[in-house]
Amino acid sequence: MKRQICNKICAMLTKITEDDSVLMHYINYEEKIVRSFGVELIGWTYDKFVNPSKLSTSLPGLQKLLDAINSGSCRFIRLTPLQLTEHCQAHQQAIASGSIPVPRMHKPQNDRGTKRKSVDESDKENENSGNAQTMFKKRHTSTVKKKALGQPKSAEMVDSEDSGKESSCHLIDLFLFCVHIISITSHVNVCC
């Protein structure tokens, strides 16, 4: 039921913002949703506004929220510029009074303001190091280049004249690729 609530909230947000790539943010809701898009979620049936996955598993409360979403009493509304200004001022006053916590800020990167190497320069430096991650990066970039050129991406991996040492490198590359895909899919957050 929590998943249904998340999906419906994301669908409502996508519809009102007309942006298919928008994601719902519960922690920095004021900054990421209200201020960025000028919309507000009204009719929330719980006292505290949190991610539905963090709500109690009590079915009556979840059912009440789901019913409110389905009936339209819990929905996003577009704020006028005046309403948005008033809402932001009220939010700032609530932060100043201490009734709500200060929004979390991300720590800036330590290397802020320094130039980073381009991909080509880092490939040249790492060319002689034989670690598996570098080999995976090289294979990945060459696959992207082959895609752009319209060449099949499996041509580099399928080689009948591989020696035992080269085929073990391919197995390591394949293993690292699988680990990379698993880590990406485990970090993808569809809505909640």
Side-chain angles (χ1 to χ4, degrees):
M1 191 171 299
K2 291 179 182 183
R3 175 68 61 181
Q4 288 176 337
I5 293 169
C6 282
N7 290 340
K8 288 182 184 277
I9 288 173
C10 283
M12 290 188 304
L13 182 61
T14 300
K15 184 178 179 182
I16 197 163
T17 61
E18 298 174 353
D19 182 2
D20 292 334
S21 64
V22 69
L23 294 175
M24 182 62 184
H25 295 269
Y26 293 92
I27 294 174
N28 291 329
Y29 165 77
E30 290 293 327
E31 182 68 31
K32 303 272 186 172
I33 302 299
V34 177
R35 289 185 183 177
S36 296
F37 297 104
V39 297
E40 181 183 14
L41 184 65
I42 60 167
W44 187 258
T45 58
Y46 281 87
D47 294 333
K48 191 172 180 183
F49 184 71
V50 294
N51 189 326
S53 65
K54 306 283 187 206
L55 294 174
S56 166
T57 56
S58 170
L59 285 180
L62 293 173
Q63 188 63 49
K64 183 179 177 183
L65 179 57
L66 186 59
D67 291 342
I69 292 170
N70 288 333
S71 70
S73 61
C74 179
R75 66 185 186 281
F76 282 98
I77 59 167
R78 186 161 299 279
L79 299 174
T80 65
L82 180 62
Q83 289 173 327
L84 182 59
T85 304
E86 290 172 355
H87 183 86
C88 290
Q89 287 173 350
H91 183 69
Q92 289 300 327
Q93 288 173 351
I95 290 173
S97 70
S99 61
I100 60 173
V102 177
R104 290 193 268 172
M105 300 300 290
H106 291 284
K107 183 179 174 185
Q109 291 181 338
N110 291 339
D111 60 349
R112 180 179 54 187
T114 61
K115 283 192 151 201
R116 290 174 179 76
K117 295 179 182 179
S118 68
V119 175
D120 293 334
E121 289 176 18
S122 63
D123 279 347
K124 288 177 185 175
E125 286 181 10
N126 293 329
E127 210 168 63
N128 294 329
S129 71
N131 69 19
Q133 259 190 332
T134 305
M135 292 168 62
F136 170 74
K137 286 180 183 176
K138 286 180 186 177
R139 167 137 323 138
H140 180 69
T141 55
S142 66
T143 304
V144 171
K145 289 176 186 174
K146 283 183 180 182
K147 260 188 183 177
L149 297 174
Q151 297 175 351
K153 64 181 179 181
S154 62
E156 186 176 51
M157 292 180 65
V158 179
D159 191 359
S160 61
E161 298 176 14
D162 279 344
S163 68
K165 187 176 180 182
E166 291 177 1
S167 64
S168 66
C169 288
H170 288 299
L171 287 174
I172 291 171
D173 289 347
L174 182 61
F175 172 74
L176 288 173
F177 177 74
C178 292
V179 169
H180 178 70
I181 295 299
I182 290 169
S183 69
I184 288 174
T185 56
S186 67
H187 287 96
V188 169
N189 190 353
V190 176
C191 174
C192 302

